[in-house]
């Protein structure tokens, strides 16, 4: 037989030889334990983690939500710098409607009787002056309070500043009350109405559950232990559950999150879909970086005098903004993810024999014997006979 013919046959054997699994029973408790223990770990992962914890057999959908709020409560203030005043929801809930949020006024700096006129600017290094030459007419400082007229006027008996065209008298916002003006706001309540839908599953629900009626709403108040389904919350309890003190926070304001979790299991055997409420402060409150703390904004109330002059009351409002944040994911049995994860589980199980083989051929004392018995090359009878005949003739 020529060398080329032998090479050709070797190539054909390499390409077309068929390999079939061979059952080799190893009477070894150690190998059997490794095999079964590996199977157990795979099944534990698939059943315990993939199916039970992750619920990978389910299709999922994200929540779509809408929120409306209604704040209720009254307060009365009687301090030296302000006339006695009764406050209702129209006064302290600004604006009355928000996009998933509401604001409750807790402290104010009021500047009443402002008119468009000329007055000396508030003193600071950029506004103090000695004479008119230090004040540029028409100059507009974005951080100032008006447009300079070019005159240097007396702000006080010892300080002169540039005169400005503005709403006068100017606001002095450093006179913030040390105790919140509306300290009673901690007893205000808010009704949160939240409707959600999972469009993929055509599922709709709201946080006013089916067993709640109008009589119940008139008397209930949310309590995590005794009344967790009530959608009416006392502001003091919201702030307290967020780890803050209402009276401290009310002085300069802040931002609080009301988080509603609608994570739902919509399978018929475990149908659970109820809102879970948590509360958290969202704005920065760092003791070492306390620049521009809290939450505030300005607005004005305008009116005209009997002489027709336009007058306004400027209000710098401090308070707590409550952001209602709704999130969640719903899951329901689906045939496609079930088949996909079942296939993944079977593929994991097919790797178990490889682990047992590696242990048998690497860690066992009889690994050489197991290696010889594991793979066998089949020699057909005709080839055996021809080989024996060649041996016989050669000996003759």
């Amino acid at each position: 037989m020529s060398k080329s013919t032998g090479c050709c046959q070797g190539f054909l054997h390499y390409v077309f030889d068929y390999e079939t699994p061979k059952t080799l029973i190893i009477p070894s408790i150690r190998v059997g334990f490794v095999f079964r223990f590996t199977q157990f770990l795979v099944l534990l992962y698939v059943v315990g983690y993939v199916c039970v914890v992750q619920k990978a057999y389910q299709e999922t959908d994200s929540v779509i939500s809408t929120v409306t709020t209604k704040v209720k409560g009254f307060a009365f203030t009687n301090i030296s710098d302000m006339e006695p005043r009764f406050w209702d929801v129209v006064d302290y809930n600004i604006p009355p409607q928000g996009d998933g949020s509401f604001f409750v006024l807790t402290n104010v700096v009021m500047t009443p009787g402002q008119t468009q006129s000329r007055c000396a600017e508030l003193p600071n290094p950029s506004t103090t002056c000695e004479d008119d030459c230090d004040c540029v007419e028409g100059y507009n400082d974005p951080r100032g309070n008006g447009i300079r007229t070019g005159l240097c006027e007396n702000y006080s008996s010892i300080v002169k500043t540039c005169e400005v065209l503005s709403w006068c008298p100017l606001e002095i916002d450093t006179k913030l009350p040390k105790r919140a003006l509306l300290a009673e706001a901690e007893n205000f309540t808010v009704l949160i109405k939240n409707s959600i839908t999972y469009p993929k599953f055509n599922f709709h629900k709201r946080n006013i559950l089916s067993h709640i009626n109008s009589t119940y709403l008139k008397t209930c108040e949310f309590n995590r232990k005794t009344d967790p389904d009530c959608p009416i919350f006392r502001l003091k309890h919201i702030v307290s559950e967020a780890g803050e003190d209402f009276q401290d926070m009310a002085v300069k304001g802040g931002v609080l999150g009301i988080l509603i979790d609608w994570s739902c299991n919509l399978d018929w055997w475990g149908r659970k879909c109820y809102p879970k409420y948590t509360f958290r402060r969202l704005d920065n409150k760092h003791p070492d970086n306390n620049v521009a703390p809290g939450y505030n904004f300005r607005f004005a109330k305008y009116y005209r005098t009997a002489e027709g002059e336009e007058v306004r009351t400027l209000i710098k409002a401090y308070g707590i903004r409550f952001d209602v944040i709704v999130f969640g994911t719903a899951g329901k049995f689906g045939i496609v993810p079930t088949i996909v994860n079942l296939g993944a589980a079977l593929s994991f199980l097919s790797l178990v024999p490889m682990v047992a083989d590696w242990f048998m051929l690497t860690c066992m004392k009889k690994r050489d014997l197991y290696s010889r018995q594991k793979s066998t090359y089949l020699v057909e009878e005709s080839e055996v006979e021809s080989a024996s005949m060649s041996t016989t003739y050669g000996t003759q």
Side-chain angles (χ1 to χ4, degrees):
M1 184 181 294
S2 64
K3 184 177 180 180
S4 60
T5 303
C7 292
C8 182
Q9 288 182 349
F11 175 75
L12 291 176
H13 279 296
Y14 176 77
V15 174
F16 293 105
D17 281 357
Y18 171 68
E19 297 178 359
T20 183
K22 176 183 178 181
T23 302
L24 181 64
I25 301 175
I26 307 296
S28 171
I29 295 178
R30 294 177 63 189
V31 177
F33 174 78
V34 171
F35 178 70
R36 296 303 180 189
F37 183 70
T38 308
Q39 279 185 325
F40 172 75
L41 291 179
V42 172
L43 291 175
L44 183 64
Y45 168 76
V46 172
V47 176
Y49 181 74
V50 176
C51 294
V52 177
V53 178
Q54 294 293 321
K55 293 182 173 59
Y57 59 86
Q58 292 183 332
E59 293 181 326
T60 59
D61 193 15
S62 298
V63 68
I64 297 176
S65 166
T66 181
V67 175
T68 58
T69 60
K70 183 182 292 185
V71 182
K72 287 187 177 182
F74 306 99
F76 180 78
T77 58
N78 186 9
I79 59 177
S80 58
D81 295 339
M82 188 183 301
E83 295 180 358
R85 179 166 180 165
F86 171 80
W87 301 75
D88 64 8
V89 66
V90 179
D91 296 315
Y92 60 74
N93 188 207
I94 309 164
Q97 297 293 328
D99 185 14
S101 66
F102 61 96
F103 174 82
V104 175
L105 180 72
T106 57
N107 213 358
V108 294
V109 174
M110 286 190 176
T111 309
Q114 285 189 326
T115 60
Q116 289 202 10
S117 55
R118 301 179 179 218
C119 53
E121 178 65 282
L122 299 179
N124 63 61
S126 64
T127 60
T128 54
C129 58
E130 297 293 335
D131 52 44
D132 295 346
C133 297
D134 297 328
C135 302
V136 179
E137 184 178 0
Y139 177 70
N140 179 10
D141 184 359
R143 298 185 180 182
N145 292 286
I147 301 174
R148 294 185 182 180
T149 63
L151 301 177
C152 183
E153 299 290 339
N154 291 324
Y155 179 81
S156 66
S157 60
I158 58 174
V159 178
K160 298 180 69 175
T161 60
C162 295
E163 184 185 67
V164 292
L165 174 64
S166 181
W167 286 94
C168 301
L170 300 178
E171 176 193 65
I172 303 176
D173 60 0
T174 56
K175 297 181 179 179
L176 180 68
K178 299 300 181 182
R179 184 177 184 273
L181 179 66
L182 271 72
E184 297 178 38
E186 66 179 12
N187 292 315
F188 296 169
T189 60
V190 57
L191 167 64
I192 298 177
K193 294 185 286 185
N194 176 212
S195 299
I196 62 103
T197 181
Y198 287 105
K200 181 185 287 188
F201 308 126
N202 194 28
F203 179 83
H204 308 271
K205 200 165 186 178
R206 61 179 188 157
N207 67 328
I208 301 178
L209 304 179
S210 57
H211 67 275
I212 295 177
N213 54 38
S214 56
T215 304
Y216 172 78
L217 281 181
K218 291 179 180 179
T219 58
C220 79
E221 183 179 312
F222 176 83
N223 184 289
R224 195 169 298 281
K225 294 181 179 180
T226 60
D227 206 348
D229 296 333
C230 181
I232 298 177
F233 303 83
R234 191 171 295 274
L235 301 189
K236 179 180 179 180
H237 296 160
I238 293 177
V239 177
S240 177
E241 285 213 23
E244 302 290 336
D245 181 81
F246 188 93
Q247 296 302 327
D248 291 341
M249 193 173 182
V251 176
K252 293 188 177 181
V255 182
L256 273 176
I258 302 174
L259 284 67
I260 308 179
D261 181 7
W262 283 94
S263 296
C264 301
N265 180 12
L266 301 183
D267 291 327
W268 63 268
W269 59 84
R271 197 177 185 88
K272 293 182 180 179
C273 195
Y274 303 104
K276 302 177 187 64
Y277 302 97
T278 55
F279 311 97
R280 182 177 302 170
R281 183 164 185 171
L282 302 180
D283 62 322
N284 182 31
K285 184 191 174 185
H286 197 286
D288 298 328
N289 184 16
N290 202 27
V291 179
Y295 181 77
N296 64 80
F297 60 90
R298 291 177 175 86
F299 67 97
K301 294 183 179 180
Y302 296 85
Y303 56 95
R304 289 187 179 275
T305 63
E307 293 77 18
E309 183 181 21
E310 185 179 30
V311 183
R312 77 177 189 183
T313 297
L314 177 64
I315 302 172
K316 185 175 183 180
Y318 294 82
I320 303 175
R321 193 185 78 192
F322 296 86
D323 292 344
V324 183
I325 303 171
V326 182
F327 63 97
T329 302
K332 191 175 184 180
F333 175 80
I335 189 65
V336 173
T338 300
I339 293 175
V340 169
N341 285 281
L342 182 61
L346 294 176
S347 66
F348 279 128
L349 286 174
S350 67
L351 298 177
V352 174
M354 297 178 60
V355 176
D357 287 348
W358 173 85
F359 179 80
M360 177 183 67
L361 300 176
T362 305
C363 303
M364 298 295 291
K365 292 181 179 180
K366 298 180 180 180
R367 54 181 175 270
D368 294 334
L369 173 62
Y370 298 150
S371 179
R372 289 194 302 270
Q373 295 297 323
K374 181 169 175 56
S375 300
T376 303
Y377 189 85
L378 179 63
V379 180
E380 296 184 359
E381 293 182 0
S382 59
E383 295 181 356
V384 174
E385 291 177 358
S386 61
S388 61
M389 290 177 60
S390 301
T391 304
T392 304
Y393 291 142
T395 56
Q396 294 177 353

